[in-house]
């Protein structure tokens, strides 16, 4: 059974040269490392996609590095982070396109982006669960799927998890 993990980037600095260039703050870096370790151990994604904004790249890279360390892989031979420009300031349809791009043989995929889009995607995938009222930085929604052919609107209820970065 494949697993889909949708994530909001870890806590970022309030300011940067541009919004896209904002970086993770100290707490966010700790959250990203904590999330990466747990995601690597529990689900070990074989696909990782991130918005091209710096804070999502940093969050996603922490997951990729943890997965590669867990498997003893190098950056050259292991999991790589794929950047998706459309996830930065993109909407639900952009996220659904990213989900559709996951190869059918994948065991687990991780996609990291921004609010409010990620919460809206959760609500679209599983209308019975709805849009989470609070999807804080460094939150994930984990969907256990029967296969990758599940249509939006028919996803099972996700498990939500928040990483504190302590």
């Amino acid at each position: 059974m494949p697993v889909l993990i949708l994530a909001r980037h870890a806590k970022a600095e309030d300011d940067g040269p541009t919004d896209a260039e904002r970086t993770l703050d100290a707490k966010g870096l700790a959250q990203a490392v904590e999330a990466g370790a747990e995601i690597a151990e529990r689900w070990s994604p074989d696909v990782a996609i991130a918005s091209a904004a710096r804070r999502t790249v940093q969050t996603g890279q922490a997951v990729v590095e943890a997965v590669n360390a867990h498997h003893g892989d190098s950056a050259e031979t292991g999991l790589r982070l794929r950047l998706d420009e459309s996830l930065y300031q993109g909407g639900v349809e952009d996220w659904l396109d990213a989900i559709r791009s996951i190869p059918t043989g994948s065991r687990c995929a991780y996609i990291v982006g921004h609010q409010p889009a990620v919460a809206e995607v959760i609500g679209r995938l599983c209308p019975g669960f709805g849009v989470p009222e609070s999807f804080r930085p460094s939150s994930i929604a984990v969907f256990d799927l029967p296969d990758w052919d599940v249509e939006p609107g028919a996803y099972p209820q996700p498990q939500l998890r928040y990483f504190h970065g302590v």
Side-chain angles (χ1 to χ4, degrees), residues 90-97 100 116-117 119-122 124-125:
V92 171
E93 288 303 318
D94 298 299
W95 278 76
L96 295 179
D97 287 344
R100 288 183 201 105
E120 292 169 354
V121 172
I122 294 164
R124 173 78 69 87
L125 295 176

Side-chain angles (χ1 to χ4, degrees), residues 9-15 22-25 28 31 55 58 137:
H9 62 78
K11 182 148 178 8
E13 297 284 351
D14 291 332
D15 297 309
R22 288 174 45 217
T23 61
L24 297 181
D25 64 15
Q31 288 173 325
R55 59 194 177 275
Q58 289 177 293

Side-chain angles (χ1 to χ4, degrees), residues 71-146:
H71 292 288
D73 291 331
S74 69
E76 292 79 33
T77 62
L79 179 62
R80 291 190 176 150
L81 187 63
R82 184 180 71 176
L83 303 186
D84 185 332
E85 297 277 344
S86 71
L87 296 180
Y88 178 68
Q89 298 184 337
V92 171
E93 288 303 318
D94 298 299
W95 278 76
L96 295 179
D97 287 344
I99 293 168
R100 288 183 201 105
S101 78
I102 299 166
T104 56
S106 175
R107 295 177 322 280
C108 178
Y110 168 84
I111 305 176
V112 59
H114 310 271
Q115 274 295 80
V118 66
E120 292 169 354
V121 172
I122 294 164
R124 173 78 69 87
L125 295 176
C126 184
F129 184 76
V131 175
E133 286 184 30
S134 175
F135 202 71
R136 300 183 295 188
S138 202
S139 292
I140 62 172
V142 181
F143 293 92
D144 290 309
L145 304 172

